[in-house]
Amino acid sequence: MFPRFSQRYAQLPERMRAQCAPTPVASPRLVAFNRPLAEELGFDLAVFDSERTAEWLSGNTLPEGAVPVAAAYAGHQFGNFVPQLGDGRALLLGEVTDRRGQLRDIQLKGSGRTPFSRGGDGRAPLGPVLREYLVSEAMHALGIPTTRALAAVTSGERVYRRVPEPGAVLTRVAASHLRAGTFQYFAARKDDEAVRLLADEAIARHYPALAEHDEGECYLALLEAVTERQAQLVAHWMGVGFIHGVMNTDNAAISGETIDYGPCAFMDSFHPATVFSSIDERGRYAWGNQPRLAQWNMARFAETLIPLIDTDTDRAIEKATRVVEAFSERFESRWLAVKRAKLGLETQEEGDAELAEDLLTAMQNARADFTLTFRRLADVLDRDDGEARLSELFESPQALEAWLPRWRERLAREDDDLGAIARRLRATNPAVIPRNHRVEQALAAAAEQDDYAPFEALLAAVTKPFEEPEGDVDYTRPPRESEKVLRTFCGT
């Protein structure tokens, strides 16, 4: 059933990874399987068997051609450098070429101890596995670069964190698992050869056009390309109210994908200081801080490339610094484009940034729901009760009422009629996101009652985010006061 594996990462020098087998589990059961993604990856679903697939994707048996390895990496965690992290509970089975000709990693997460486990059990609780499944697939449906979830398998064993929980294994699919922290691991050891091998692998997999540059220039161009993708990624996150929660350098993917959905969350009422992660006690990775921290991460990545950029260290630092300092301008340009789209604007005018920021300020002061505010802008244009539906989201609507005529005046200078703009707004601003309270309800039902119906229903809704959901459960509704989730947990 599995497509043919290649072993690019497993063929890198031994110091870059550790080859080891998954730890078998007691009683694997497939509880979620992403058939559309499996087809995209080239799986032969005509011979699909859930029991056999559960054995493979729990790590009890290995698919033909798999060579499981744990990757070495380091990372700055909440600003503090940890020289050795690595895959402590994950194993890369190998890479497959999908139906579009793109190379994709297939990794088991929660598959047991590795040489990088640092005393941990290498396992994953069911809740965080299902959270990553839900949120990563929602992000994909929103059009945001992300790792994907192929499957979730329960282990038949308990995992002990805050309380005993059912264990599970996630099968994660990524363009690659190369991280800024992967480069840091070898740069900290002054292993320039390994850094060069990683840079060449990153260029070959993600930025092949850069190979045409002269030596040195191609590595500076790699820094520019990765910085550009990080700027785009964070702008997209902020446009849907997403807060990553652990923006450490080991979670800064060289591909520009979102990776690691531990204590992530989507905010309800808007405030730039919103943070949910239980381990982010000082709000380092709050919604509004994400651009600055992405730039900080890129500065740490740039440091690893200094020996490759130029043989003259001072000259290399000067070149890399210019790239890192340009991040702010790159981000502001991408963020303004996102804000224009969320307001239904296709043309560009000088006052657009101020118009968008004034709406955000009004939302913050009136505790308006982030997602629904932007979604209901379309209602203002094509429903008789549209303005009332929007105003009801604001505790005090005076600032909104002053803002709406300015927005209408700006829309009048667009080339499309209001009906077309409303359709554009609904295609840009989601109706459904994985709201924290809905996610927690679905995870609790699965973990405590072995009931996956809420998970499956929520997954169906969040993977069609621009459609108004049907059925008894209103997945667009913000949480009531008693339903609010104020803290999310990592699960490691």
Side-chain angles (χ1 to χ4, degrees), residues 1-7 52 56 61-67 93:
M1 185 184 85
F2 268 80
R4 184 185 301 275
F5 281 106
S6 63
Q7 297 298 339
R52 191 177 181 190
W56 280 331
T61 61
L62 291 176
E64 184 178 354
V67 178
L93 296 180

Side-chain angles (χ1 to χ4, degrees), residues 298-309:
M298 288 300 94
R300 307 290 76 76
F301 176 54
E303 290 166 352
T304 72
L305 298 179
I306 293 301
L308 308 186
I309 290 173

